[in-house]
Amino acid sequence: MIKDALFGLAVGDALGVPVEFRSRAAIRQDPVTDMIGYGTYHLPPGTWSDDSSLAFCLAEVLTQGYDLDAIGQNFVKWLYHNYWTPYNVVFDVGISTKDAIRNISQGIRPELAGGTSEFDNGNGSLMRILPLIFYIKDKPIDERFQITKEVSSITHRHIRSVIGCFYYLEFARGLLNQEDKFKIYQKLQTDIPTYLNYLSVDPDEIAWYNRLLMGNIHELPDEEINGSGYVVHALEASIWCLLTTNSYREAVLQAVNLGEDTDTTAAITGGLAGILYGFESIPAYWVNQLARREDINALAARFEAGITYF
């Protein structure tokens, strides 16, 4: 399952990198149907971005157990020393993420490093949070929420970002338990608001997710799904892509072709789709083009061994 998630995320990320920032209208003129290269960053096919880098930094720490300080220091190593990058260079980083990691490098505790402004609600914690589910999946909901909040807060401390990460990991948890994706979606419409209300979370913040928590998002046309880098849009898009397709390939290509923040939307979607459909469902010729695929495979094996031990 860990291999499914890590490769699912990274392949989705790599599919989106070449067309990041392109509008949906522009992509519709030449839709993405396969792994391509160059484009936005002029990098070869199979290049993944900060989304995967930071997810791998998180997973690396989790091979030894949960250590928030170590996670923060891995993020510092990534930004300033190119740790867990595909070609020893950081070529993409969000403003909020960069500011938070700088805070950590200057001695601020990781759980206090992320921004708390309403404008600090990009998808920068959502894009990297997936490995955490393998550590918290069997813990009580209070612990799952608290740890998710801490790991999100390293770069994104606002409750809206925390809710997005919490919902995403709870969805992933349902997939790990081999529940039907639509049943998970329906169950979370009750479970998420109930728990957040129990915590006395501001109802206005919960309401930002009403299209997921109260509606049938899979019934919406693609024109009503936004591919931007805003955390609410990114979560909506990933769940919409998962629910409106029937394979890994379909899900991630649908995510990329939404346009805008293509790598992140596809990474978030791809992580869930990897768990749902399994590593074998990812086209082998996509995996074979992936930068550092042997290193990713080895990381998955270490993580699996660590989780089994702990």
Side-chain angles (χ1 to χ4, degrees):
M1 286 293 193
I2 292 170
K3 182 176 180 178
D4 303 335
L6 295 186
F7 276 96
L9 186 156
V11 169
D13 185 1
L15 285 165
V17 163
V19 292
E20 187 180 7
F21 308 128
R22 291 187 66 187
S23 70
R24 190 174 312 178
I27 291 178
R28 276 182 174 160
Q29 301 300 311
D30 185 20
V32 176
T33 59
D34 209 342
M35 184 77 74
I36 59 174
Y38 306 99
T40 302
Y41 297 100
H42 201 68
L43 291 165
T47 301
W48 30 270
S49 74
D50 55 331
D51 309 32
S52 299
S53 288
L54 291 172
F56 297 152
C57 285
L58 169 59
E60 190 73 66
V61 172
L62 294 174
T63 65
Q64 302 293 320
Y66 180 64
D67 184 334
L68 199 67
D69 289 325
I71 297 167
Q73 288 307 310
N74 264 7
F75 289 2
V76 171
K77 285 165 63 180
W78 165 73
L79 182 62
Y80 295 111
H81 305 289
N82 303 310
Y83 186 62
W84 266 114
T85 54
Y87 302 116
N88 204 37
V89 63
V90 173
F91 63 87
D92 188 18
V93 56
I95 294 170
S96 295
T97 295
K98 187 175 184 178
D99 289 347
I101 295 174
R102 185 183 63 242
N103 287 340
I104 296 170
S105 74
Q106 294 173 348
I108 292 177
R109 287 162 45 195
E111 66 271 29
L112 301 176
T116 57
S117 161
E118 186 172 11
F119 299 101
D120 292 312
N121 278 312
N123 54 23
S125 60
L126 181 62
M127 72 186 191
R128 59 167 170 82
I129 202 81
L130 185 59
L132 188 62
I133 192 55
F134 297 99
Y135 178 76
I136 66 172
K137 63 184 176 64
D138 296 323
K139 297 184 182 301
I141 191 169
D142 288 334
E143 242 183 296
R144 297 199 304 272
F145 181 83
Q146 181 58 34
I147 294 172
T148 299
K149 180 180 179 181
E150 290 174 358
V151 175
S152 175
S153 294
I154 297 173
T155 56
H156 292 72
R157 199 151 49 109
H158 193 282
I159 188 61
R160 198 174 309 164
S161 290
V162 174
I163 293 171
C165 290
F166 180 58
Y167 179 103
Y168 182 67
L169 292 185
E170 290 296 293
F171 203 107
R173 184 172 181 265
L175 293 175
L176 288 174
N177 291 332
Q178 299 185 315
E179 298 170 24
D180 175 78
K181 62 185 179 180
F182 289 103
K183 289 183 178 178
I184 298 168
Y185 181 72
Q186 292 165 359
K187 185 171 183 288
L188 292 185
Q189 290 189 325
T190 299
D191 290 358
I192 296 290
T194 297
Y195 185 69
L196 295 177
N197 285 323
Y198 160 74
L199 293 179
S200 300
V201 171
D202 183 349
D204 290 339
E205 285 298 329
I206 302 172
W208 284 104
Y209 291 94
N210 275 353
R211 294 212 304 178
L212 288 170
L213 296 174
M214 298 182 68
N216 292 318
I217 202 161
H218 50 284
E219 295 178 356
L220 298 178
D222 70 333
E223 289 82 4
E224 295 189 38
I225 302 300
N226 197 312
S228 84
Y230 174 43
V231 65
V232 177
H233 291 163
L235 181 62
E236 288 181 342
S238 66
I239 301 302
W240 180 82
C241 288
L242 196 74
L243 295 181
T244 56
T245 56
N246 294 299
S247 70
Y248 176 87
R249 180 188 178 95
E250 288 178 5
V252 291
L253 289 177
Q254 185 137 288
V256 172
N257 286 299
L258 289 174
E260 298 184 63
D261 200 6
T262 51
D263 59 330
T264 303
T265 305
I268 296 167
T269 303
L272 295 182
I275 295 172
L276 176 58
Y277 299 110
F279 174 78
E280 297 302 325
S281 73
I282 305 172
Y285 59 97
W286 287 358
V287 173
N288 290 338
Q289 294 179 78
L290 205 61
R292 297 186 63 181
R293 64 185 181 279
E294 294 302 329
D295 291 334
I296 301 168
N297 196 49
L299 173 60
R302 290 196 303 276
F303 197 173
E304 192 77 53
I307 292 297
T308 301
Y309 177 78
F310 290 108

